[in-house]
Amino acid sequence: MPARLPSWAWVTGLTTGAIAVVVVLTVQADQGAKPTATATRPSPSVSAGVHPTPKTSEPAAVPDDSGTGRRIVYSLGQKRVWLVDASDAARRTFAVWPGTVSPDPGSYSVSLRRDATTGSDGVQIEHIVYFTAKSGVSIAFSNAVDGSSPPPASGTRTGGIRMRTADGAVLWKFGETGTTVVVVE
């Protein structure tokens, strides 16, 4: 009767063989043609619940009629927010997606902040910074937890001014209770 190999010998042999196969395949792959990446950005689909971000070549200047001092500036026409420090320098600006109910131009203060909730459109939102109400609808900055910015449901009155997740986190830190919010045309 022939001698039987112990199980550790089989495992060692199989492992060594598998490593050799991976090394050979890696060397072959490294010698083959390599794809090149293009610098294009995929265009999000509205049906996927995401609005494309407007392209800008230069940061937009803070609107002249937005006051002075530390403040959040929201332009209705540009659909853009600026976070302005006490020296009147814009620290960050970004595009936003307004709801169906817009605030009137004027000066407000952050009145309430909530970590997370469900928006009036049924979307899970976070970093909610309330600053006014209009016709019974609360107006607040927020971002969707999943990063999307779905179009408002048909016929639904919404006051959420949505932004990308990273922008929502920065606005949350900047917009403490009492922070001035200036809404301009």
Side-chain angles (χ1 to χ4, degrees):
M1 179 162 207
R4 188 170 171 181
L5 287 175
S7 61
W8 63 267
W10 282 103
V11 171
T12 302
L14 290 172
T15 303
T16 303
I19 290 172
V21 168
V22 169
V23 168
V24 167
L25 292 174
T26 302
V27 168
Q28 287 178 348
D30 192 44
Q31 293 173 354
K34 293 170 183 57
T36 58
T38 58
T40 60
R41 189 180 216 174
S43 173
S45 162
V46 173
S47 64
V50 179
H51 289 262
T53 302
K55 295 178 183 175
T56 57
S57 56
E58 302 236 352
V62 178
D64 291 332
D65 56 347
S66 68
T68 59
R70 188 177 187 281
R71 65 200 182 277
I72 299 169
V73 178
Y74 171 43
S75 170
L76 298 167
Q78 294 184 51
K79 297 179 184 175
R80 177 166 289 279
V81 166
W82 291 262
L83 305 180
V84 182
D85 69 15
S87 69
D88 287 326
R91 292 296 166 204
R92 187 175 182 115
T93 183
F94 46 88
V96 296
W97 300 279
T100 59
V101 177
S102 295
D104 292 325
S107 184
Y108 305 91
S109 293
V110 172
S111 56
L112 178 68
R113 294 165 25 111
R114 291 189 70 181
D115 291 331
T117 192
T118 301
S120 58
D121 57 359
V123 174
Q124 293 296 313
I125 56 174
E126 64 184 353
H127 303 127
I128 306 114
V129 178
Y130 295 91
F131 62 93
T132 191
K134 182 177 177 182
S135 303
V137 176
S138 295
I139 309 288
F141 299 110
S142 65
N143 64 268
V145 172
D146 67 3
S148 69
S149 183
S154 180
T156 303
R157 294 171 42 85
T158 61
I161 302 163
R162 299 278 170 83
M163 59 201 67
R164 292 184 306 263
T165 304
D167 296 326
V170 172
L171 188 136
W172 174 257
K173 290 178 185 174
F174 187 89
E176 301 166 346
T177 303
T179 300
T180 299
V181 177
V182 179
V183 178
V184 298
E185 291 289 339

